[in-house]
Amino acid sequence: GDALGPYRGFVNVDEEFLFSDVLELLPRQSVVLEILETVRITPAVVERCRALRSSGFSLALDDIIQLGDDYRAILELIEIVKVDLLPLDPAELKPLIDRIRAFGIKSLAEKVDSREQMQYCMDLGFDLFQGNFFARPSIIKGRKLDPLTAIMETGG
């Protein structure tokens, strides 16, 4: 299987989507709401996330490269923090992972593209992994898929 364990699909959530009613129609057991880095952490956002969390949703923060004080109010509601490996060097990554862990949150390494990178992330203390290294191409014979189905099946 993949390296995400019970976390099946991530759904990107911008500020507008966060406050829309459509959000409530998503299957809360099988999606993680991934709050994009463009969402400013305002009291209204924290309140909305608290409501979503108490109604059974899992919440993640996307593309984090630092956890400033502005995030403090929301961290108790977050299950996973996704960290973009590309902009950060090891000296910055380790304290970030330690800080995420101190809050009891799982850290997810994004864009893991090789076995070496996977090992490196494990050594740093990451809990979860996503990236091309895990997306083995699969060949489906005998039927044409429409693009949406293909995306759903490969977790694109």
Side-chain angles (χ1 to χ4, degrees):
D2 59 22
L4 290 177
Y7 304 105
R8 285 184 280 288
F10 286 86
V11 178
N12 287 337
V13 178
D14 61 15
E15 194 154 353
E16 190 183 349
F17 191 32
L18 183 66
F19 289 98
S20 85
D21 296 336
V22 180
L23 200 58
E24 323 253 342
L25 302 174
L26 293 169
R28 42 202 77 179
Q29 297 76 28
S30 53
V31 299
V32 177
L33 303 179
E34 189 174 314
I35 297 163
L36 296 175
E37 67 279 12
T38 50
V39 177
R40 286 179 313 130
I41 308 301
T42 60
V45 165
V46 173
E47 211 38 62
R48 174 65 165 160
C49 287
R50 182 169 284 121
L52 290 167
R53 183 71 201 261
S54 61
S55 72
F57 281 104
S58 296
L59 302 175
L61 291 175
D62 187 38
D63 273 347
I64 293 300
I65 48 179
Q66 56 169 351
L67 279 180
D69 287 339
D70 47 335
Y71 281 107
R72 182 163 300 224
I74 206 174
L75 287 175
E76 60 175 3
L77 303 170
I78 299 296
E79 271 182 60
I80 301 170
V81 171
K82 298 180 85 166
V83 177
D84 187 347
L85 296 176
L86 297 180
L88 296 171
D89 63 45
E92 296 172 294
L93 269 172
K94 185 67 181 138
L96 180 59
I97 304 305
D98 292 343
R99 185 165 160 79
I100 294 169
R101 175 163 280 173
F103 282 99
I105 301 171
K106 288 185 175 5
S107 54
L108 184 150
E110 288 188 283
K111 307 188 177 77
V112 178
D113 294 331
S114 67
R115 186 173 293 282
E116 295 72 39
Q117 210 170 16
M118 168 86 189
Q119 189 57 55
Y120 164 70
C121 290
M122 288 176 79
D123 293 343
L124 278 170
F126 274 100
D127 300 297
L128 301 164
F129 310 91
Q130 245 185 354
N132 296 337
F133 180 55
F134 301 101
R136 294 180 187 79
S138 56
I139 297 163
I140 301 170
K141 294 193 178 76
R143 57 189 181 124
K144 273 183 81 85
L145 290 177
D146 66 85
L148 184 64
T149 316
I151 289 170
M152 296 297 286
E153 294 205 354
T154 57

